[in-house]
Amino acid sequence: MNQRGEAPISVIKRLPVYLRVLDNLVKRDIEVVSSKSLSKETGFTAEQIRKDLAFFGAFGTRGTGYNTNYLRERVLRIIGLDKQTNVAIVGAGHLGTAFARYNVRENPYTSVVGLFDVSPDIVGENIEGVPVYHLNDLQEIVRKERVQVGVITVPAVHAQEVVDRLVEENVKALLNFAPAKLTAPEDVRIHNVDLTIELQSLIYFAKDELNEESTQDLE
Ligand SMILES: NC(=O)c1ccc[n+]([C@@H]2O[C@H](COP(=O)([O-])OP(=O)(O)OC[C@H]3O[C@@H](n4cnc5c(N)ncnc54)[C@H](O)[C@@H]3O)[C@@H](O)[C@H]2O)c1
């Protein structure tokens, strides 16, 4: 049974947050955690947490809480992080290299096996142990390293050609940072990330609280 198929996207999106907190608790040798303390650490309500976790089976013991290790392993398995996932980042500029650095340091669950670029200024370099290859080597490395996820951090005008190359190599999951509308076959999943849109929507939601005097009308 595909457990992920049954839970709403909002629940799935909270799972990595639970994982981060559980990782921390395991590191601190905390063996049992209540939904109340998970609530304190995540900011979600205890009821929400119990409901979320119940989607995947009842893991907790009433009055005691959840076994931290067990819950962490379940969450890892539900997300699909119990097996190594190899990632390639295409575009080794500001964002691509920052993303690579951060993931090498902070994300033990995926392995960035290579960055790819076309600029002679960066090809051949090494970012936190991750080699920067020329785009021409994409096919060879994707096959050799069994890359499953592609991250797109090239200028928008080049993003579709990068998608096409990754799709040709059978990469089925793409995380796109370029502000471009990309197309791929139905069995390829593309997630778009746009921090500028996040910033703009924050301003919309906070606009009543923003100090009127410190803002100037643009028109
Ligand atoms: N989603 C967000 O929140 C967010 C934030 C910042 C930047 N961006 C976007 O991310 C992308 C990268 O931004 P940046 O600031 O790192 O730019 P950058 O110019 O620093 O880096 C882009 C890199 O892509 C390389 N490149 C160009 N064409 C390529 C190709 N066909 N194949 C491989 N590499 C190629 C360039 O040589 C360069 O190293 C842009 O599309 C930008 O708009 C998105």
Side-chain angles (χ1 to χ4, degrees):
M1 179 176 59
N2 179 5
Q3 291 173 309
R4 279 178 292 180
E6 292 169 11
I9 289 178
S10 52
V11 177
I12 302 293
K13 288 203 160 175
R14 285 192 286 272
L15 290 177
V17 181
Y18 297 138
L19 179 61
R20 187 175 286 171
V21 169
L22 289 163
D23 273 345
N24 216 295
L25 294 171
V26 168
K27 266 190 215 140
R28 284 154 52 202
D29 288 327
I30 295 172
E31 286 176 12
V32 177
V33 63
S34 64
S35 46
K36 212 168 142 196
S37 356
L38 279 175
S39 164
K40 247 193 231 154
E41 304 265 354
T42 59
F44 310 136
T45 66
E47 191 195 352
Q48 177 81 74
I49 291 166
R50 285 195 295 272
K51 256 166 103 186
D52 284 358
L53 298 177
F55 266 111
F56 306 101
F59 306 129
T61 315
R62 198 174 266 277
T64 317
Y66 301 92
N67 177 299
T68 316
N69 247 318
Y70 177 73
L71 183 58
R72 177 181 162 273
E73 295 207 343
R74 286 300 301 259
V75 172
L76 272 178
R77 222 173 314 142
I78 294 162
I79 302 177
L81 292 173
D82 52 329
K83 299 179 203 88
Q84 175 161 319
T85 307
N86 288 347
V87 177
I89 300 176
V90 186
H94 292 95
L95 187 58
T97 53
F99 190 74
R101 273 196 191 95
Y102 187 78
N103 275 275
V104 168
R105 288 184 196 157
E106 303 290 337
N107 177 4
Y109 299 113
T110 57
S111 175
V112 180
V113 297
L115 285 138
F116 295 84
D117 208 291
V118 288
S119 164
D121 294 342
I122 186 91
V123 170
E125 297 289 325
N126 188 299
I127 309 293
E128 297 269 336
V130 180
V132 183
Y133 300 103
H134 193 279
L135 187 67
N136 292 342
D137 298 329
L138 187 75
Q139 183 185 68
E140 185 196 333
I141 303 297
V142 165
R143 290 180 186 186
K144 193 169 107 196
E145 301 283 357
R146 296 173 188 272
V147 168
Q148 293 149 297
V149 178
V151 177
I152 298 157
T153 46
V154 294
V157 284
H158 296 294
Q160 185 62 54
E161 73 196 52
V162 168
V163 170
D164 296 343
R165 291 180 80 140
L166 288 163
V167 166
E168 205 164 306
E169 288 316 311
N170 222 15
V171 177
K172 301 284 190 197
L174 303 173
L175 184 63
N176 170 47
F177 285 92
K181 174 87 189 75
L182 303 174
T183 56
E186 256 183 23
D187 64 342
V188 175
R189 199 170 177 100
I190 305 182
H191 280 202
N192 296 295
V193 183
D194 196 321
L195 299 177
T196 304
I197 286 178
E198 293 295 320
L199 176 63
Q200 291 173 351
S201 54
L202 168 70
I203 291 168
Y204 170 82
F205 286 112
K207 83 180 159 196
D208 291 343
E209 286 75 32
L210 297 177
N211 184 354
E212 295 253 308
E213 281 164 31
S214 69
T215 56
Q216 288 177 332
D217 284 344
L218 287 178
E219 295 165 15

